[in-house]
Amino acid sequence: MPRPAPPFTELLANCQRSAVHLEMRDSYQDPDEAPRVAAWKAGYRPDPNDRASWWRPWLDMVADATARGVSFRRARIVSEPVSEYTRYLYDGTFTNVAAGEEIRWLSRRNASDIALPGNDFWVFDDQVVRFGYFSGEGVYLGDEVDERPEVAKLCTTAFGAVWDRAIPHDRYTI
């Protein structure tokens, strides 16, 4: 049964082979991210040649995990034309790629016949699922971990179907 999730850092530290993440919202309202979104709206774009200006603790965690052999994949299902927030994500995705993530994009229209869980999720080593819960406005409400094999199978199957259809970041245009 689902239970409160341990810190993400703990889930990732225990991960040995793979971490996959499916994002299905067109907007997230993360207070920690709000200053970066505001700066982006004002015209700031990270300089790919100035890593110190955009490297964050998240990217350190990704780089550390990939250095120890963890495959890190993220798929984003997005409405098209994309939302302003999705444009913000797109402009900064090169930082995730530089840290070792593989990222793909799938238009919502092309996901219509894929059975998807009702919430964004992470799956660690095809066994541990972390569901993230958000309000209608995209405010993070919390998360739970589920280790039931049938839930892990549902999520890994859904992620795989999205991944197979999605367009790699370096070929996706908005």
Side-chain angles (χ1 to χ4, degrees):
M1 296 306 297
R3 61 181 168 81
F8 187 87
T9 53
E10 181 179 320
L11 291 168
L12 189 55
N14 291 328
C15 184
Q16 300 297 309
R17 297 178 316 280
S18 65
V20 300
H21 184 36
L22 183 60
E23 297 176 357
M24 298 183 281
R25 300 186 57 84
D26 288 321
S27 180
Y28 297 88
Q29 301 297 322
D30 179 351
D32 293 336
E33 188 177 49
R36 291 190 300 274
V37 174
W40 177 85
K41 286 180 181 181
Y44 170 78
R45 298 298 182 269
D47 177 355
N49 297 315
D50 183 13
R51 180 175 270 198
S53 70
W54 48 261
W55 199 261
R56 301 182 301 277
W58 168 256
L59 301 174
D60 283 330
M61 286 194 313
V62 172
D64 290 347
T66 58
R68 61 183 170 81
V70 174
S71 167
F72 228 96
R73 297 183 298 158
R74 180 188 306 252
R76 293 176 171 146
I77 298 175
V78 296
S79 299
E80 292 178 334
V82 299
S83 68
E84 180 179 49
Y85 182 83
T86 298
R87 285 193 308 274
Y88 157 76
L89 283 179
Y90 181 85
D91 284 350
T93 293
F94 77 89
T95 66
N96 299 72
V97 172
E101 284 190 61
E102 293 179 72
I103 298 180
R104 294 187 180 183
W105 304 80
L106 182 64
S107 71
R108 194 168 307 284
R109 179 180 299 268
N110 291 325
S112 295
D113 63 345
I114 299 174
L116 298 167
N119 296 288
D120 288 9
F121 61 83
W122 282 90
V123 181
F124 301 93
D125 292 333
D126 299 322
Q127 297 175 1
V128 178
V129 179
R130 178 186 171 267
F131 287 109
Y133 304 117
F134 298 86
S135 74
E137 298 297 324
V139 175
Y140 173 72
L141 300 174
D143 50 48
E144 290 181 321
V145 165
D146 197 317
E147 296 182 67
R148 292 177 291 174
E150 65 272 17
V151 173
K153 182 177 181 180
L154 169 72
C155 292
T156 56
T157 299
F159 182 86
V162 169
W163 188 257
D164 289 345
R165 287 189 193 176
I167 299 169
H169 176 70
D170 64 349
R171 293 196 335 244
Y172 182 74
T173 57
I174 58 172

